[in-house]
């Protein structure tokens, strides 16, 4: 398996985070676009007929089409997030199946910490412990990937 294939889980998670941010931006636009409100006078339907103010809120008619487009975009983004989340599960399982076929325990730990847990090389080295350094775990990973 190549480094690019091992990195797909990382990039899928990054893509999901970007889509989530875009989703929040769309939700914010929908909440704030074209909102208008007014008060009207009304009374109760039974005696005593007490006059009071009623607040009416809604969307300006000129903004209605844009709000509908934004809601359609939001639905598309939500579907994409679901799709990418499903791809993450598939990619995670594929990655774990591959890593579990490796005989070398150290390499399994390095690949899991780096490509499944997305840790930087210095944290991979500190999690493994011993005399392993950032450079030594990175080089072990590179050598393993070049060999296989």
């Amino acid at each position: 398996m190549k480094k690019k294939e091992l990195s797909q889980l990382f990039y899928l998670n990054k893509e999901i985070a970007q889509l989530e941010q875009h989703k929040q931006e769309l939700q914010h636009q929908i909440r704030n676009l074209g909102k208008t409100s007014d008060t009207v006078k009304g009374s109760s339907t039974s005696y005593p007929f007490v006059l009071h103010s009623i607040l009416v809120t809604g969307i300006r008619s000129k903004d209605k089409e844009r709000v509908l487009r934004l809601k359609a975009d939001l639905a598309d983004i939500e579907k994409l997030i679901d799709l990418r989340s499903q791809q993450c599960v598939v990619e995670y399982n594929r990655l774990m199946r591959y890593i579990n076929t490796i005989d070398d325990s150290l390499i399994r730990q390095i690949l899991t910490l780096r490509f499944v847990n997305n840790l930087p090389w210095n944290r991979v080295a500190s999690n493994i412990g011993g005399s392993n350094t950032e450079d030594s775990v990175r080089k072990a990973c590179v050598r393993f990937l070049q060999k296989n």
Side-chain angles (χ1 to χ4, degrees):
M1 187 176 277
K2 303 263 188 253
K3 183 179 177 187
K4 184 175 180 177
E5 295 171 298
L6 290 168
S7 299
Q8 283 305 301
L9 183 61
F10 170 77
Y11 289 114
L12 279 169
N13 282 320
K14 239 182 130 94
E15 185 179 3
I16 289 170
Q18 291 169 352
L19 289 168
E20 287 286 352
Q21 182 179 356
H22 187 56
K23 175 184 168 182
Q24 289 176 358
E25 290 167 3
L26 287 173
Q27 288 172 330
H28 178 74
Q29 286 179 25
I30 290 168
R31 274 193 305 271
N32 295 321
L33 183 70
K35 294 271 174 135
T36 186
S37 61
D38 199 1
T39 55
V40 295
K41 298 283 185 190
S43 67
S44 54
T45 56
S46 59
Y47 183 80
F49 303 106
V50 178
L51 190 65
H52 60 277
S53 296
I54 301 169
L55 179 66
V56 179
T57 60
I59 300 172
R60 289 188 291 253
S61 59
K62 68 177 185 173
D63 293 328
K64 194 176 258 185
E65 189 175 314
R66 179 135 191 263
V67 169
L68 291 174
R69 273 197 317 273
L70 287 171
K71 285 185 177 184
D73 290 347
L74 180 61
D76 290 344
I77 293 292
E78 288 172 339
K79 287 177 187 172
L80 264 176
I81 291 170
D82 286 344
L83 177 65
R84 295 298 182 260
S85 296
Q86 291 171 9
Q87 287 176 322
C88 265
V89 171
V90 169
E91 195 60 34
Y92 172 84
N93 289 333
R94 186 175 76 85
L95 194 54
M96 290 308 296
R97 278 193 306 275
Y98 171 73
I99 290 172
N100 287 325
T101 63
I102 299 169
D103 292 333
D104 188 334
S105 175
L106 177 63
I107 296 298
R108 278 196 312 270
Q109 290 177 67
I110 291 171
L111 294 179
T112 301
L113 291 169
R114 177 65 177 177
F115 297 106
V116 176
N117 299 347
N118 298 317
L119 296 181
W121 288 115
N122 62 342
R123 299 248 336 262
V124 171
S126 66
N127 276 315
I128 291 174
S131 62
N132 292 296
T133 65
E134 179 178 341
D135 285 337
S136 69
V137 294
R138 184 179 46 77
K139 287 177 184 177
C141 177
V142 168
R143 280 192 296 269
F144 174 79
L145 293 176
Q146 287 174 344
K147 188 172 73 173
N148 293 309

